[in-house]
Amino acid sequence: MNGIILHLPERSTDRISEDLRTLTEAICDLTGEDGGGGLGGRYGYGIEHETDVFAMFPFWWDDCTCGWETVESDWVDAHPHADDCYQTEFQRRTTGTGTGLDYADFAREWGLPEQGSAYHCTCPRGAAHQAWRSDNPHPATCPVVRPNFRYKPTGATVEWYKYIGRDMEVKGELPVDFLAHCLASLTESQ
């Protein structure tokens, strides 16, 4: 390979990851669907399937499907920043000018942190937008926000990035024997 060394991420071997891959394999065996491949392994990405006990979805790569982003865009358009806001001046200096504005210098000029320099807001609109987002979330069924796995008896959820085990986060109580209940639900749903 011409001296190129590839460093692939390790496959997660924790119990929950192994159980989720086992469940994915069982679903594929039952449905005849392909388990995929690649860095996550043959059954490492999860598969879309739901029973009375669990719901599983692979990592979502696409855009929002619920229309929330359009609604948010409409809110943003209807609520401009104040004339004396950092964001308004930032837009004045960067829109259509092709200028090489140094974002960090511009943020320091306003006494703001360099990190996030293109997003600072110094008027009430920033807080109002955050409040609107809190009051108007995506529906739980939107693939952008839904968990990759939900264990219905306890409400526990598991989320991963791209494949099972990568940057995985478990929220709620996931019993040690959750896999047995999930596998049993596969045969009950037939």
Side-chain angles (χ1 to χ4, degrees):
M1 291 187 37
N2 299 332
I4 297 173
I5 299 173
L6 296 176
H7 296 281
L8 300 176
E10 292 183 31
R11 176 178 155 153
S12 179
T13 58
D14 64 276
R15 179 190 57 82
I16 294 172
S17 295
E18 291 293 339
D19 286 353
L20 290 170
R21 284 190 286 273
T22 298
L23 179 58
T24 301
E25 181 177 8
I27 295 166
C28 289
D29 289 347
L30 180 72
T31 63
E33 293 183 55
D34 183 16
L39 295 177
R42 173 128 170 109
Y43 301 108
Y45 292 89
I47 194 161
E48 188 167 336
H49 196 82
E50 186 166 3
T51 70
D52 290 340
V53 175
F54 74 92
M56 180 185 277
F57 303 94
F59 179 79
W60 185 255
W61 296 83
D62 292 322
D63 295 329
C64 167
T65 62
C66 71
W68 182 91
E69 291 170 347
T70 301
V71 173
E72 181 195 31
S73 180
D74 291 346
W75 188 95
V76 167
D77 290 346
H79 298 84
H81 290 275
D83 278 343
D84 61 347
C85 180
Y86 171 93
Q87 204 46 234
T88 303
E89 184 61 24
F90 182 87
Q91 293 301 317
R92 279 188 201 117
R93 292 195 191 183
T94 59
T95 302
T97 63
T99 177
L101 177 67
D102 184 308
Y103 292 7
D105 284 346
F106 184 65
R108 282 193 302 273
E109 180 183 318
W110 281 69
L112 297 167
E114 294 174 27
Q115 188 171 6
S117 59
Y119 299 99
H120 295 306
C121 173
T122 57
C123 72
R125 190 245 194 203
H129 185 220
Q130 288 304 317
W132 180 89
R133 288 176 62 109
S134 292
D135 293 342
N136 299 278
H138 284 266
T141 56
C142 181
V144 171
V145 298
R146 73 178 174 212
N148 300 107
F149 178 80
R150 183 169 40 96
Y151 185 67
K152 295 177 181 182
T154 64
T157 61
V158 182
E159 296 179 28
W160 55 79
Y161 177 66
K162 294 187 180 179
Y163 54 82
I164 296 169
R166 183 170 177 188
D167 296 332
M168 198 162 78
E169 185 176 343
V170 179
K171 295 178 184 173
E173 180 190 340
L174 193 58
V176 173
D177 63 347
F178 83 93
L179 176 60
H181 297 281
C182 292
L183 292 172
S185 75
L186 289 176
T187 57
E188 293 167 4
S189 66
Q190 291 300 307

